[in-house]
Amino acid sequence: MTNSLWGRLDDVSGDAGYEEHPPRMGFFTDTSVCIGCKACEVACKEWNELPEDGYQLTGMSYDNTQQLGASTWRHVAFVEKPLHPTTTDLGLPGMGPPGWDTHESGLPQAAPSGEDQATESGEGGIRWLMSSDVCKHCTHAACLDVCPTGSLFRTEFGTVVVQPDICNGCGYCVPACPYGVIDLRKEDGRAFKCTLCYDRLKDGQTPACAQACPTQSIQYGEVSELRQRADLRLAELLDKGVDVARLYGRDPDDGVGGDGAFFLLLDEPEVYGLPPDPVVTTRDLVTIWKHVGAAAVTLAGLGVASFFGRRS
Amino acid sequence: MVPEAEFESYYGRQIVKTPTWKSPDVPLYLFFGGMAGASALLAEGAALSGDLQLERVARTVAASGAGVGTVFLIHDLGRPERFLHMLRVLKVTSPLSVGSYVLAPFSALASAAAAAQLTGRLPRIGRLAGVGAAVFGPLLTTYTAALFSNTAVPAWHEAYRELPFVFAGSGAAAAGGAAMLLTAPAQSAPARRMALAGAALELSAAELLKRRLGMLAEPYERGRPGRLMRTASRLTALAAVASLFAGRSRAVSMMCGATYLTASTLTRFGVFEAGLASARDPKYTVVPQRERIARRQAAGRAADEGKGSSATHTATAPGS
């Protein structure tokens, strides 16, 4: 039981009760080859018939989508980050919001790395990072565990899917997700998120976003195989000197037991709007219930004690 | 004060989603449910010690609190007509599921007990129902802490140790307060004691919460939630002191009761809004997680000193 709440878990579908099931399927999103075309966003909207969710110009680089939500299941983030200056730091106030200087990120001070992503024009060079974000289909999915209706469930492919005919819009999944993925659709009242194209998977097809991706930044396949592919790609990039490359969500021993959809990033996760060290809330569930129980007993004792003592 | 931490973010945007739970629906549900649960205890105690007036008032408060709370809870749903879907399955991993299985029997039992008492019919069954309500009552008052804590909302999750005690105390103070408001002082001595003990529990648990949470205590201390929490604790303390003089005066007793009720309501709004504030600011998600990574790395370095470990792709690298 404790293992189902958090920690390493090698057979998610088996743990969910499937006796025979296909291998766990997922995404490996290699952001080092993302060109920011947003074909994934469009393909996802089209295939899943998602309603439009506003038309805003944000000023956040090319990102007018802003975030994942009930009607946005792929979101391409665009990060414009100044390259660290080559001149001596005189400690003068710089440009941009605080904390944007990579000196403070704790990363090795590599020379302009990931040359395919870097646009260097002298000293005011900009690193332009793009990343297509998606539901992580966690090994330990908080949204699924807190859902009181059983609307969210684990599929035979190890993915996490909402059943719209069951969801009553209680909204518990929304603050439970450590990545801020799932949300309620206001005009509808129910919760929605990426299904990893459950309908297409059942027909042996590739999810729409991965199918549409022109650079194979979004790779779909068996999670075990994708992990190997990701390890090879990381080794290749590190070998080329792209020492800012790191995998995110690949580790089956991390706070959510590893993600079914994981990433290769070229900066710290929070730069892309991802939590640096997400932990599924159910890790603490047993302790939470123990404290609730202790408080309930305290309250009962307090109630009994109120009837002792002198009558006034 | 904790110094402002530096952190990176994606255009300053929040990472976890803001809870979609509505205000005032959810904070009021917490208040009414908490008051109802503790009132069921008060009613059973009064029945055992033969305080008929107190029993009658407490039973009515328990039943109507549960009823009103349930209305708020259902109104908060995106699809209220599907409320009964809550009872399709029982999941211990979902405090809302467990809570539904506490609220449903509690409402039925508390209503039966109150109806039996007010109509004078089926007194034994009514009494039995009252005992049942008193069994579910404390859980109804405290489970809502698990509801908030079992999320990724930083100020709620990290408060999981103290929050159940804050809610237990706040519920006891509200139940005692309601009885003080509606009962003659000569009959309400147990209610005064319950409110006083509840106030002490709430104030000390809230203080402990703020001390232990460090940076994550900020949402409970700053801005609107901070004002709500401060006003709540001042009113609670005021009512507690005044209640020492409420034994002889109906007016003082009523004022004390009303103050306790107001304070308990404000506590629920304060905790609710503190959570929302902590979700909206990426600082509360990123900085504690960064600190956790740093602690882990320091521990790792101490563990394998001299092993020549490469910690370049640090954040989620396998701990090999």
Side-chain angles (χ1 to χ4, degrees):
Chain A
M1 190 63 198
T2 44
N3 196 43
S4 299
L5 294 176
W6 94 293
R8 195 186 182 107
L9 178 64
D10 289 326
D11 182 6
V12 271
S13 301
D15 183 66
Y18 294 94
E19 284 178 11
E20 285 184 27
H21 58 82
R24 184 178 183 187
M25 305 306 278
F27 290 129
F28 165 46
T29 306
D30 178 356
T31 70
S32 70
V33 292
C34 178
I35 56 172
C37 70
K38 302 192 196 179
C40 49
E41 286 190 14
V42 177
C44 175
K45 282 258 186 194
E46 286 286 330
W47 179 261
N48 294 298
E49 298 182 321
L50 301 181
E52 61 99 15
D53 49 1
Y55 193 75
Q56 293 174 327
L57 296 176
T58 61
M60 292 158 38
S61 189
Y62 280 27
D63 181 4
N64 296 314
T65 311
Q66 304 182 53
Q67 58 185 326
L68 291 173
S71 304
T72 303
W73 300 349
R74 271 278 177 189
H75 162 232
V76 182
F78 291 77
V79 178
E80 291 177 32
K81 235 182 139 174
L83 288 166
H84 44 80
T86 45
T87 47
T88 315
D89 188 357
L90 298 173
L92 295 170
M95 297 283 284
W100 273 55
D101 188 335
T102 40
H103 280 305
E104 285 153 17
S105 65
L107 286 170
Q109 297 296 311
S113 39
E115 55 259 53
D116 52 339
Q117 291 273 328
T119 312
E120 196 172 13
S121 51
E123 287 188 0
I126 295 275
R127 288 178 75 213
W128 204 16
L129 306 176
M130 293 142 217
S131 168
S132 179
D133 195 11
V134 70
C135 169
K136 315 300 178 291
H137 295 277
C138 307
T139 300
H140 299 288
C143 61
L144 191 165
D145 277 339
V146 303
C147 174
T149 64
S151 166
L152 274 149
F153 76 110
R154 179 81 59 184
T155 73
E156 63 271 34
F157 302 104
T159 55
V160 180
V161 174
V162 191
Q163 302 172 81
D165 55 333
I166 303 296
C167 177
N168 67 4
C170 77
Y172 203 173
C173 50
V174 178
C177 174
Y179 300 98
V181 169
I182 194 167
D183 205 356
L184 294 188
R185 198 176 285 162
K186 275 210 171 62
E187 59 278 18
D188 180 284
R190 293 172 297 176
F192 295 92
K193 72 167 193 73
C194 163
T195 69
L196 214 126
C197 282
Y198 188 36
D199 50 349
R200 292 173 69 96
L201 259 59
K202 281 204 276 200
D203 276 350
Q205 293 191 46
T206 299
C209 55
Q211 181 94 44
C213 179
T215 65
Q216 293 189 330
S217 170
I218 301 173
Q219 300 176 33
Y220 161 75
E222 290 181 26
V223 169
S224 55
E225 197 217 315
L226 290 176
R227 282 178 178 161
Q228 290 176 13
R229 230 189 276 175
D231 291 342
L232 285 174
R233 176 65 180 157
L234 177 67
E236 185 191 348
L237 286 174
L238 293 177
D239 194 46
K240 283 184 179 169
V242 190
D243 45 17
V244 288
R246 85 277 322 269
L247 298 178
Y248 178 80
R250 179 240 177 273
D251 179 8
D253 291 311
D254 71 14
V256 297
D259 291 325
F262 56 95
F263 301 81
L264 187 148
L265 304 178
L266 296 174
D267 208 324
E268 299 290 355
E270 58 266 40
V271 170
Y272 297 91
L274 296 164
D277 186 37
V279 172
V280 63
T281 176
T282 48
R283 182 193 65 179
D284 301 317
L285 185 68
V286 175
T287 324
I288 290 174
W289 277 131
K290 277 182 187 163
H291 282 80
V292 166
V297 170
T298 306
L299 177 57
L302 195 152
V304 172
S306 305
F307 288 89
F308 288 96
R310 200 163 40 83
R311 298 213 141 201
S312 50
Chain B
M1 277 267 82
V2 192
E4 290 294 334
E6 291 211 357
F7 68 103
E8 292 191 273
S9 72
Y10 184 65
Y11 299 97
R13 299 187 69 96
Q14 65 192 81
I15 291 180
V16 295
K17 288 264 187 287
T18 311
T20 49
W21 291 330
K22 293 181 205 124
S23 185
D25 300 33
V26 169
L28 283 182
Y29 164 66
L30 260 55
F31 163 71
F32 281 109
M35 178 180 68
S39 287
L41 280 176
L42 202 55
E44 235 11 72
L48 284 173
S49 56
D51 295 335
L52 188 63
Q53 198 197 354
L54 181 61
E55 183 191 351
R56 190 174 291 232
V57 164
R59 288 212 193 288
T60 314
V61 171
S64 47
V68 175
T70 306
V71 171
F72 278 116
L73 189 62
I74 295 176
H75 185 254
D76 179 62
L77 296 177
R79 289 289 175 101
E81 74 279 9
R82 291 183 176 178
F83 171 67
L84 285 177
H85 284 200
M86 292 287 188
L87 303 176
R88 279 179 82 236
V89 288
L90 170 59
K91 291 167 73 176
V92 290
T93 57
S94 171
L96 190 46
S97 172
V98 174
S100 299
Y101 284 92
V102 171
L103 177 64
F106 179 89
S107 300
L109 291 166
S111 305
Q117 174 139 54
L118 296 179
T119 59
R121 294 189 176 192
L122 304 172
R124 281 192 183 172
I125 291 179
R127 196 52 217 294
L128 213 58
V131 172
V135 170
F136 283 104
L139 258 183
L140 181 67
T141 302
T142 53
Y143 95 85
T144 43
L147 182 74
F148 278 10
S149 288
N150 197 35
T151 63
V153 174
W156 286 348
H157 184 86
E158 293 307 321
Y160 63 82
R161 289 190 175 87
E162 293 85 7
L163 215 46
F165 293 94
V166 174
F167 284 1
S170 181
M180 287 170 76
L181 185 66
L182 301 169
T183 321
Q187 291 268 312
S188 63
R192 281 198 294 281
R193 283 193 284 267
M194 179 183 245
L196 191 62
L201 181 62
E202 181 192 337
L203 290 176
S204 44
E207 186 56 35
L208 207 61
L209 183 154
K210 286 184 207 163
R211 285 193 191 173
R212 195 179 60 85
L213 253 53
M215 177 193 162
L216 284 174
E218 282 175 17
Y220 292 98
E221 290 166 338
R222 295 185 179 178
R224 205 176 116 92
R227 282 196 297 278
L228 287 165
M229 294 301 286
R230 276 192 300 277
T231 311
S233 39
R234 279 177 199 151
L235 287 179
T236 304
L238 179 71
V241 172
S243 74
L244 303 174
F245 309 97
R248 269 161 275 160
S249 158
R250 177 85 203 231
V252 175
S253 179
M254 286 175 76
M255 261 153 56
C256 267
T259 309
Y260 273 131
L261 289 170
T262 313
S264 177
T265 313
L266 292 181
T267 298
R268 308 312 174 108
F269 275 92
V271 171
F272 181 77
E273 293 195 11
L276 267 56
S278 76
R280 286 194 191 109
D281 190 336
K283 172 173 75 172
Y284 298 118
T285 302
V286 173
V287 175
Q289 294 190 13
R290 274 284 152 214
E291 288 170 356
R292 191 159 60 207
I293 292 171
R295 277 198 303 274
R296 205 161 52 221
Q297 283 173 343
R301 270 196 300 276
D304 53 22
E305 200 88 276
K307 254 188 183 177
S309 61
S310 66
T312 34
H313 48 104
T314 44
T316 54
S320 58

